[in-house]
């Protein structure tokens, strides 16, 4: 590391002073999935050096911040969401010096940096879990996790019927035929921590402090609705519990106690200069439940998974936009809009794939970036990348594939490395001439590379660049004005922001005629102005500037 940590905070302050306060209220935040973004050392796996070399790309794209998924020391049982040491960088991703340099270089370009924090569980290789396994039942070391005796005559049955999000039981016995069971809501390599234990709480405050001192601008909180479990550990009494996630109350998610922790974290964030933030990854049943994470003394933002899950259909989209805005109003938190991430099928494919899926995805981007609040872009969204649906079985790495007994292929299809340039895999990712990337890249991506799209004014990359530039320039966008719905024919959404801006989206599969609201600033597909009407092709969105009366 090039300078002592004590200098970081003052450097951070300089960066913060360059941009407005409360930057997060309308920031566009770009999600970097480390393993797949850019490969700096040519081993076929993305890393911190790769991200550093691509910071100018992110800067010219026009985003405000990047969120980097876990790069901490990890055996990678769940792509880094199984952390063995929260204060160390995994050697496959680089060093502490690399993250330190990355944060400074990003700040110099005016980009904020958010990192992941994984508090619900550690890796089974974490020093605490090894210590727990070596200790006796009832010991202090075991109390940091959720160890319980089994049921049945010989303790051979799990303590209750809870299921892992990745499939199978949420409990694993410490030895095949004996000993206690431990809880893991995800993979067995991800034992759940006991958040009733004071040492656990203190340790995470210390970890957050470590990264805040290094200069990060905030944390994306993994499984923010997790951590506390109903102490009764009672049976749920039904299987298929994963299907209830985000729609019904479960005894291990969204419990009141978790909010005390966020109050502590908020006080810590506020004690640092420069508007540091917390972002909740919380799958909860309603906008009202989500708002609880965003009360003035808790976290700043939460991912809007109800928006992500909505079909590309005017009625469904309008409903979720209204519910979002109404749900957040009482806590005065900004909405967030997100279409994809490293856990879900890419939206080009969700929206139907092929030319139609891409047209809808482009329109969805203009819609998302015109809505009030903050927006998240998942790496590759700006290239219109589809899900890779034909990865061979033998390359699949997501634990869901094994845990589901090979019935769920898991999330690898949205995690394929980013194509940067060239005519064939690895498209500028990994060592030149070697197609050995951690997941194989489809040869058909030759037309989707950054290089191929950069000079094409009609490309998806150019659309994102223009939209992001306009979003900064137009006084009505971001978080600066509220949204006002205008009359729209069936299948269309039309809304105004402020007095000078209208966004119209045609989600139907036929062209529509709309009033000509003003000059067309940007369109995701074919638009015409005919006889004073705006003719919007199927699956197309447009931004218009409206002349002042
Ligand atoms: C949510 C993360 O986004 C996902 O990738 C991970 O598998 C789980 N949390 C468990 O940490």
């Amino acid at each position: 590391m090039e300078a002592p940590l004590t200098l970081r905070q003052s450097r951070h302050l300089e960066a913060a002073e360059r941009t407005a306060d409360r930057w997060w209220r309308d920031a566009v935040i770009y999600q970097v999935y480390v393993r797949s973004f850019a490969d700096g050392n040519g081993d076929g796996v993305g890393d911190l050096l790769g991200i550093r070399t691509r910071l100018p790309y992110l800067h010219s794209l026009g985003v405000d911040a990047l969120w980097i998924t876990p790069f901490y020391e990890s055996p990678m049982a769940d792509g880094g969401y199984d952390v063995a040491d929260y204060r160390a960088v995994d050697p496959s991703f680089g060093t502490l010096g690399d993250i330190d340099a990355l944060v400074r270089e990003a700040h110099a370009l005016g980009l904020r940096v958010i990192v992941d924090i994984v508090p619900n569980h550690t890796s089974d290789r974490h020093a605490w879990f090894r210590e727990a396994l070596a200790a006796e039942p009832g010991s202090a070391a075991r109390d940091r996790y959720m160890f319980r005796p089994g049921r049945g005559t010989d303790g051979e049955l799990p303590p209750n019927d809870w299921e892992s999000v990745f499939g199978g039981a949420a409990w694993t016995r410490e030895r095949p035929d004996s000993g206690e069971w431990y809880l893991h809501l995800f993979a067995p390599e991800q034992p759940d921590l006991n958040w009733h234990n004071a040492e656990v709480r203190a340790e995470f405050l210390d970890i957050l402090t470590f990264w805040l001192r290094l200069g990060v601008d905030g944390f994306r909180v993994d499984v923010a609705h997790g951590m506390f479990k109903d102490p009764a550990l009672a049976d749920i009494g039904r299987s298929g519990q994963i299907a209830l996630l985000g729609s019904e109350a479960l005894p291990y998610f969204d419990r009141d106690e978790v909010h005390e922790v966020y109050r502590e974290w908020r006080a810590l964030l506020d004690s640092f200069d420069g508007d540091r933030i917390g972002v909740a990854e919380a799958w909860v049943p309603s906008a009202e439940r989500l708002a609880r994470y965003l009360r003035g003394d808790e976290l700043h933002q939460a991912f809007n998974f109800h928006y992500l899950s909505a079909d590309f259909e005017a009625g469904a989209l309008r409903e979720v936009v209204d519910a979002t805005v109404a749900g957040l109003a009482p806590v005065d938190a900004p909405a967030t809009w997100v279409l994809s991430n490293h856990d879900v099928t890419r939206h080009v494919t969700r929206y139907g794939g092929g030319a139609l899926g891409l047209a809808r995805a482009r329109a969805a981007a203009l819609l998302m970036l015109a809505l009030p609040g903050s927006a998240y872009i998942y790496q590759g969204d700006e290239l219109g990348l589809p899900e890779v649906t034909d990865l061979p079985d033998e390359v699949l790495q997501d634990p869901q594939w094994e845990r589901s007994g090979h019935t769920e292929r898991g999330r690898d299809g949205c995690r394929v490395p980013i194509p940067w340039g060239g005519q064939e895999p690895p498209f500028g990712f990994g060592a030149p001439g070697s197609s050995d990337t951690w997941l194989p890249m489809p040869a058909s991506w030759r037309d989707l590379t950054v290089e191929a799209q950069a000079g094409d004014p009609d490309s998806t990359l150019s659309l994102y660049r223009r939209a992001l530039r306009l979003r900064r320039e137009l006084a009505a966008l971001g978080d600066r004005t509220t949204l006002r719905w205008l009359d729209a024919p069936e299948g269309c959404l039309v809304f105004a922001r402020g007095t000078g801006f209208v966004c119209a989206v045609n989600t139907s599969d036929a062209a529509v005629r709309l009033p000509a609201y003003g000059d067309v600033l940007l369109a995701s597909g074919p638009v015409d102005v005919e006889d004073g009407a705006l003719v919007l092709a199927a699956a197309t969105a447009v931004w218009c500037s409206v002349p002042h009366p």
Side-chain angles (χ1 to χ4, degrees):
M1 300 183 53
E2 292 166 25
L5 282 181
T6 46
L7 289 181
R8 298 291 178 273
Q9 276 174 272
S10 57
R11 260 206 313 253
H12 191 283
L13 186 60
E14 286 162 29
E17 277 167 358
R18 281 200 303 275
T19 45
D21 262 359
R22 297 174 34 109
W23 60 275
W24 44 276
R25 290 197 66 96
D26 57 8
V28 177
I29 301 174
Y30 185 97
Q31 180 190 350
V32 171
Y33 187 70
V34 187
R35 288 197 290 178
S36 307
F37 182 63
D39 176 11
N41 66 0
D43 65 354
V45 181
D47 49 37
L48 297 176
L49 182 59
I51 302 174
R52 286 173 63 191
T53 62
R54 298 294 179 180
L55 288 174
Y57 167 77
L58 296 178
H59 178 246
S60 73
L61 181 61
V63 298
D64 302 297
L66 47 151
W67 148 37
I68 311 177
T69 58
F71 47 78
Y72 314 113
E73 196 176 302
S74 165
M76 304 290 158
D78 184 22
Y81 283 96
D82 48 321
V83 181
D85 183 343
Y86 290 81
R87 297 177 187 81
V89 171
D90 193 83
S92 65
F93 295 140
T95 62
L96 270 181
D98 287 324
I99 184 66
D100 181 63
L102 191 163
V103 170
R104 279 187 291 113
E105 288 162 7
H107 284 170
L109 289 170
L111 293 164
R112 312 268 178 166
V113 180
I114 293 172
V115 297
D116 241 288
I117 184 80
V118 187
N120 181 69
H121 44 264
T122 69
S123 160
D124 61 347
R125 311 273 179 85
H126 190 284
W128 272 5
F129 194 69
R130 290 164 182 259
E131 205 187 314
L133 286 180
E136 292 300 312
S139 58
R142 287 205 170 197
D143 190 55
R144 297 180 185 128
Y145 292 90
M146 303 284 294
F147 280 88
R148 293 290 183 280
R151 295 195 286 197
T153 46
D154 205 16
E156 73 281 11
L157 298 173
N160 68 22
D161 68 355
W162 293 2
E163 292 169 353
S164 149
V165 171
F166 291 155
W171 296 91
T172 289
R173 205 171 188 186
E174 57 177 307
R175 290 178 294 277
D177 308 314
S178 60
E180 290 190 309
W181 296 71
Y182 66 89
L183 180 71
H184 52 87
L185 292 180
F186 294 87
E189 295 86 354
Q190 294 166 295
D192 277 48
L193 286 162
N194 170 19
W195 272 85
H196 291 283
N197 179 303
E199 220 185 324
V200 170
R201 278 168 88 137
E203 171 69 355
F204 273 85
L205 283 172
D206 200 62
I207 294 165
L208 296 179
T209 304
F210 176 86
W211 291 105
L212 288 167
R213 284 194 180 142
L214 188 131
V216 304
D217 298 276
F219 301 93
R220 174 264 191 193
V221 185
D222 188 64
V223 200
H225 55 303
M227 295 146 82
F228 287 89
K229 285 88 196 176
D230 184 342
L233 295 185
D235 280 343
I236 292 176
R238 58 174 287 191
S239 60
Q241 292 159 22
I242 174 68
L244 308 179
L245 185 59
S247 61
E248 281 184 37
L250 289 165
Y252 42 78
F253 284 148
D254 195 26
R255 293 181 56 80
D256 287 347
E257 300 93 310
V258 82
H259 297 285
E260 284 168 34
V261 170
Y262 296 137
R263 282 185 204 109
E264 275 175 17
W265 289 15
R266 179 58 178 263
L268 178 69
L269 291 168
D270 286 350
S271 73
F272 278 77
D273 57 71
D275 235 5
R276 321 283 182 111
I277 69 164
V279 183
E281 187 228 12
W283 293 83
V284 295
S286 64
E288 288 70 30
R289 293 298 299 181
L290 197 61
R292 291 159 54 86
Y293 292 77
L294 304 174
R295 289 175 285 202
D297 57 353
E298 298 193 38
L299 301 175
H300 298 72
Q301 289 190 342
F303 295 106
N304 189 345
F305 293 125
H306 291 109
Y307 184 74
L308 181 150
S309 315
D311 288 340
F312 185 75
E313 189 276 310
L317 288 167
R318 181 167 169 162
E319 204 176 300
V320 69
V321 168
D322 284 339
T324 301
V325 172
L328 296 173
V331 290
D332 188 31
T336 67
W337 312 102
V338 56
L339 296 168
S340 280
N341 64 34
H342 65 291
D343 291 331
V344 300
T345 302
R346 281 189 177 273
H347 59 279
V348 168
T349 303
R350 288 202 323 267
Y351 290 162
L356 176 65
L358 181 59
R360 288 175 169 169
R362 289 168 58 102
L366 289 199
L367 168 60
M368 169 175 96
L369 293 171
L371 291 171
S374 171
Y376 279 80
I377 296 173
Y378 175 48
Q379 62 183 35
D381 287 357
E382 79 280 21
L383 304 177
L385 294 187
E387 183 83 358
V388 179
T389 51
D390 58 355
L391 287 170
D393 292 359
E394 61 277 12
V395 305
L396 296 181
Q397 306 212 8
D398 187 346
Q400 266 178 359
W401 171 239
E402 287 302 328
R403 294 281 300 166
S404 68
H406 297 179
T407 56
E408 298 287 334
R409 295 185 69 73
R411 302 159 293 176
D412 291 317
C414 65
R415 299 175 175 181
V416 171
I418 294 300
W420 291 99
Q423 292 299 309
E424 52 199 34
F427 297 121
F429 187 103
S434 154
S435 59
D436 224 3
T437 48
W438 76 276
L439 287 173
M441 302 168 74
S444 59
W445 281 9
R446 110 172 19 94
D447 301 328
L448 296 178
T449 65
V450 171
E451 186 182 49
Q453 297 198 38
D456 174 0
D458 296 327
S459 70
T460 304
L461 178 57
S462 298
L463 179 73
Y464 268 83
R465 281 190 171 147
R466 282 204 294 272
L468 290 169
R469 190 172 341 111
L470 279 172
R471 192 178 184 276
R472 280 193 180 173
E473 286 167 13
L474 296 173
L477 293 188
D479 195 38
R480 285 158 278 191
T481 62
T482 51
L483 166 155
R484 211 170 63 254
W485 295 111
L486 304 184
D487 286 345
E490 179 90 17
C492 288
L493 291 171
V494 184
F495 59 91
R497 301 283 315 274
T499 50
F501 177 89
V502 165
C503 173
V505 188
N506 177 9
T507 67
S508 77
D509 52 15
V512 290
R513 283 176 81 81
L514 298 167
Y517 302 100
D519 291 341
V520 172
L521 294 169
L522 188 60
S524 70
V527 279
D528 267 319
V529 181
E530 271 175 18
D531 308 328
L534 183 70
V535 182
L536 206 54
T540 299
V542 67
W543 287 5
C544 298
S545 81
V546 180
H548 288 289

